Amino acid sequence: MTKALVTGCAGFIGSHLTQRLLNEGVTVIGVDGFLDNYDVAAKLRNLAEIGNHPAFTFHSTMLQTQRWKEWLDGVDVVYHLAALPGVRNSWGKAFTDYVNHNILATQMLLEACLQLPKPPVVVVSSSSSVYGTMQGTFTDESSPLRPVSPYGVTKEAMEQICQVYVKAYGLPVTMLRYFTVYGPRQRPDMAFHRFFRQMMKGEPVVIYGDGKQSRDFTYVADAVQANLLAARHALPGEIFNVGGDREIKLLDVLNIMSGLLNVTPNLSFQSGPAGDSLRTCADIQLAQNRLGYRPQVPLEEGLRLQFVDMRAQAKG
Ligand code: UGA
């Protein structure tokens, strides 16, 4: 691969992926619309280390401006990360924006790829939220899709529209279902970012529900690696779970965090917003077998790296 388009390149996962591609000698076209789901200054900071790289061209605009000809020129792989993320805010009026950014913008990208004589490989970011609350031991890709948030519904629809283009036109699109990604630059609305910030400030740590909900937290570099592997090995229409090293309850994560900061947090339990899955646990065998994906970063190490980054940001 020589040239890639990364949509959502200023976001949490997108900025890490862009950095990795540039480090590997890939020319990157980055597009980001700076949606206001969180502080734009934080998104600009995400680009700080890559903004001036000679192999990086940045377009600060929404996908809806549709400058595809320019963005897709000579591109072998599209990594489509641009989206409106977050499960808990996707209710009410906001749903229109979720539909717009997660479904409609993806369909525009697919149409644009179709117009090219040789369409690029497209790796699309989906989410464990398509499953809802998991049953059984592990969830594999054939498990029923029962989203519990409007956001999860938009991600499911996004997958479906991709599959339609695969089936009708053979467009080489593959989808990755990330399981709650964390690490340096994690979005400020996400749990670990909030917990670290609250603990560093000596504020109560707000836990939605009883803290016994569990997640298969995935370190951001592992999610990035899954993208590269999918671009190389996945077949059109394939979908892969991208999970971390294990499932863990939120309260157990807080124990690890308090050890890192050497503080005993004051926990404030509050009724959780709707849309939250009680359990996620990825069966990653398919990604292991087909792509050679193996999560490399254990939770303890990933948390330490996120904490180091957040402490540096707080000082900076
Ligand atoms: C995350 C992302 O926000 C979604 O964009 C993504 O699609 C999804 O992962 C996924 O796996 O696909 P979520 O699992 O809710 O969603 O991630 P966090 O925001 O880190 O929350 C993890 C848990 O901590 C949730 O149960 C949440 O209710 C809880 N939480 C979050 C708190 O107890 N307190 C908080 O302040 C924030």
Side-chain angles (χ1 to χ4, degrees):
M1 190 218 324
T2 52
K3 192 173 179 188
L5 168 65
V6 179
T7 71
C9 65
F12 165 39
I13 306 173
S15 62
H16 282 278
L17 174 63
T18 301
Q19 204 161 359
R20 170 83 189 269
L21 290 167
L22 291 168
N23 287 345
E24 301 217 341
V26 177
T27 299
V28 179
I29 308 297
V31 181
D32 202 294
F34 291 106
L35 302 184
D36 62 359
N37 56 318
Y38 64 92
D39 190 4
V40 167
K43 297 186 183 188
L44 283 169
R45 263 200 313 274
N46 289 346
L47 285 178
E49 287 173 42
I50 41 182
N52 294 325
H53 194 291
F56 181 57
T57 308
F58 180 51
H59 300 274
S60 167
T61 179
M62 311 264 265
L63 292 185
Q64 285 83 350
T65 60
Q66 302 227 48
R67 286 156 48 195
W68 300 111
K69 249 189 156 167
E70 185 183 356
W71 302 336
L72 287 168
D73 185 33
V75 160
D76 320 294
V77 182
V78 178
Y79 297 97
H80 179 46
L81 292 102
L84 189 51
V87 297
R88 292 174 288 280
N89 293 327
S90 57
W91 304 93
K93 280 190 183 158
F95 186 63
T96 310
D97 295 332
Y98 278 79
V99 169
N100 190 9
H101 296 299
N102 299 352
I103 309 173
L104 302 182
T106 302
Q107 188 265 351
M108 289 172 189
L109 165 67
L110 299 171
E111 275 294 327
C113 291
L114 206 57
Q115 307 310 318
L116 299 172
K118 187 179 181 303
V121 167
V122 184
V123 182
V124 172
S125 291
S126 187
S127 154
S128 73
S129 61
V130 297
Y131 296 120
T133 292
M134 298 187 177
Q135 318 292 333
T137 325
F138 293 104
T139 301
D140 70 20
E141 291 81 353
S142 65
S143 302
L145 305 186
R146 297 190 185 114
V148 292
S149 65
Y151 167 78
V153 171
T154 64
K155 282 293 180 178
E156 182 185 348
M158 181 200 71
E159 288 188 2
Q160 296 292 352
I161 193 73
C162 289
Q163 294 292 24
V164 167
Y165 278 78
V166 172
K167 287 196 187 92
Y169 301 107
L171 207 65
V173 186
T174 179
M175 287 142 269
L176 301 178
R177 290 179 181 156
Y178 307 135
F179 282 66
T180 313
V181 182
Y182 73 100
R185 308 183 202 146
Q186 191 190 39
R187 293 200 327 265
D189 59 294
M190 292 184 72
F192 292 2
H193 187 114
R194 286 169 59 93
F195 294 165
F196 275 131
R197 198 177 56 217
Q198 287 156 345
M199 286 162 88
M200 287 192 297
K201 288 184 167 172
E203 293 171 356
V205 170
V206 176
I207 298 184
Y208 300 139
D210 60 7
K212 291 185 185 147
Q213 66 265 51
S214 61
R215 292 284 183 278
D216 194 331
F217 294 102
T218 307
Y219 188 68
V220 63
D222 288 326
V224 164
Q225 178 67 7
N227 273 272
L228 301 192
L229 291 168
R232 228 171 283 146
H233 305 298
L235 296 173
E238 282 193 305
I239 298 181
F240 299 98
N241 284 344
V242 177
D245 69 336
R246 65 186 189 271
E247 179 186 3
I248 184 168
K249 289 191 170 62
L250 219 45
L251 287 178
D252 294 330
V253 175
L254 275 159
N255 262 333
I256 304 174
M257 287 183 167
S258 44
L260 277 171
L261 277 86
N262 203 15
V263 294
T264 308
N266 172 11
L267 304 184
S268 166
F269 293 91
Q270 302 187 3
S271 66
D276 215 5
S277 161
L278 290 179
R279 230 198 113 207
T280 70
C281 185
D283 180 335
I284 56 168
Q285 268 189 50
L286 190 67
Q288 275 178 348
N289 297 340
R290 287 275 310 109
L291 308 179
Y293 170 74
R294 265 178 199 75
Q296 300 292 318
V297 183
L299 183 67
E300 287 72 8
E301 174 61 3
L303 281 170
R304 191 188 65 77
L305 292 167
Q306 181 167 348
F307 173 53
V308 167
D309 177 66
M310 288 197 62
R311 200 176 40 189
Q313 295 286 350
K315 279 187 188 150

